Structure formats: structure tokens, C-alpha cells
């Protein structure tokens, strides 16, 4: 699935995104640790990423980029506070991933329709499918 370098790259991206508002909150850190555990990355490795980001790796195929975008949406909403800085940064990251602007904007709009802004994976796939077909 993912190489070790890819795992560290996407977790590093999550850490850097969590710090975009100048603070890595406990809820964000714990969420990143939970994702890291699923990817078999240790807490010590995450702590190292907090200090120094990993080299960026481009994710292929597109489904992996959409999954990472979903993780970032969940991370953004884990503390129930969404700043304009976070919205701007997540759009920037999504565009850098090669995701369509319309899909990104729709996800950011639709997330408000769900409890805790947790957009279900099936809805996320539906949105991206609509804009890519």
C-alpha cells in the first residue's frame, strides 16, 4: 500500500497542517497519533515529525490523494474550530494534490451538513466522482 517514506510524508503533511494556526492542539495531535497507529508509525516518529517535517512524496493513484484530503478534513474539524487560515490552507493542499477546485469547495460546503462536520467516505467519493466524470 504505502511505503514508509509515503507514510511519513502524509503524516508530516498532517502535522504541518495542524500547525497552520500556530498551535498543535491536543485533539489534533491525538488524531494524528491514531492515523499513525493505523499506518504502523510510532509516537516517537510522530514526535520527530513535529520537530522536522519529512520529505514530501506525491501520492498515486488519485484515490490515495482523496483519502489524504479526507484525513485532513477530519483533522481540521477534530477540535470543532475551523479558521479561515485552515480553510485557505486545505484548499491550497487540495489543489497541490491535483484535486479539482469544484470538488474541494463542495466537500468544504457539504461537511457542514453532517454531525461534527464528519463527511462520510461514501459522500466524499460521490462528490469527487461527480467532478471527475
Amino acid at each position: 500500500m504505502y511505503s514508509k517514506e509515503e507514510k511519513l510524508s502524509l503524516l508530516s503533511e498532517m502535522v504541518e497542517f495542524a500547525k497552520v494556526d500556530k498551535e498543535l492542539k491536543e485533539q489534533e495531535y491525538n488524531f494524528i497519533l491514531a492515523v499513525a497507529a493505523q499506518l504502523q508509525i510510532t509516537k516517537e516518529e510522530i514526535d520527530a515529525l513535529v520537530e522536522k517535517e519529512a520529505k514530501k512524496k506525491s501520492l498515486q493513484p488519485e484515490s490515495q490523494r482523496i483519502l489524504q484530503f479526507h484525513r485532513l478534513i477530519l483533522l481540521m474539524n477534530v477540535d470543532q474550530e475551523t479558521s479561515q487560515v485552515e480553510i485557505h490552507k486545505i484548499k491550497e493542499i487540495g489543489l497541490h494534490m491535483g484535486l479539482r477546485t469544484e470538488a474541494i469547495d463542495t466537500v468544504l460546503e457539504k461537511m457542514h451538513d453532517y454531525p461534527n462536520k464528519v463527511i462520510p467516505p461514501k459522500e466524499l467519493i460521490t462528490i469527487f466522482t461527480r467532478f471527475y466524470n
Side-chain angles (χ1 to χ4, degrees), residues 64-127:
Q64 289 181 348
R65 294 191 308 269
I66 292 170
L67 175 60
Q68 177 65 358
F69 185 74
H70 191 234
R71 287 184 192 114
L72 292 170
I73 291 285
L74 295 173
L75 176 61
M76 178 175 69
N77 292 315
V78 75
D79 63 358
Q80 299 298 307
E81 297 174 20
T82 306
S83 71
Q84 287 303 310
V85 173
E86 290 173 316
I87 295 290
H88 176 74
K89 186 63 176 178
I90 204 162
K91 285 182 178 186
E92 182 183 299
I93 292 169
L95 291 172
H96 185 71
M97 288 178 174
L99 303 177
R100 301 249 335 234
T101 304
E102 300 89 346
I104 293 167
D105 290 341
T106 301
V107 169
L108 292 172
E109 179 184 318
K110 291 281 188 183
M111 72 183 188
H112 297 284
D113 296 344
Y114 296 95
N116 299 320
K117 300 180 188 175
V118 177
I119 191 162
K122 187 174 182 178
E123 176 67 17
L124 187 80
I125 291 166
T126 300
I127 291 168

Side-chain angles (χ1 to χ4, degrees), residues 7-8 10-11 14 29-43 45-46 49 71:
K7 291 175 186 180
L8 292 173
L10 51 90
L11 289 164
M14 292 176 74
Y29 179 74
N30 289 336
F31 180 80
I32 293 167
L33 286 178
V35 172
Q38 290 177 338
L39 296 173
Q40 300 176 334
I41 300 296
T42 67
K43 179 184 182 304
E45 289 170 303
I46 294 301
L49 293 176
R71 287 184 192 114

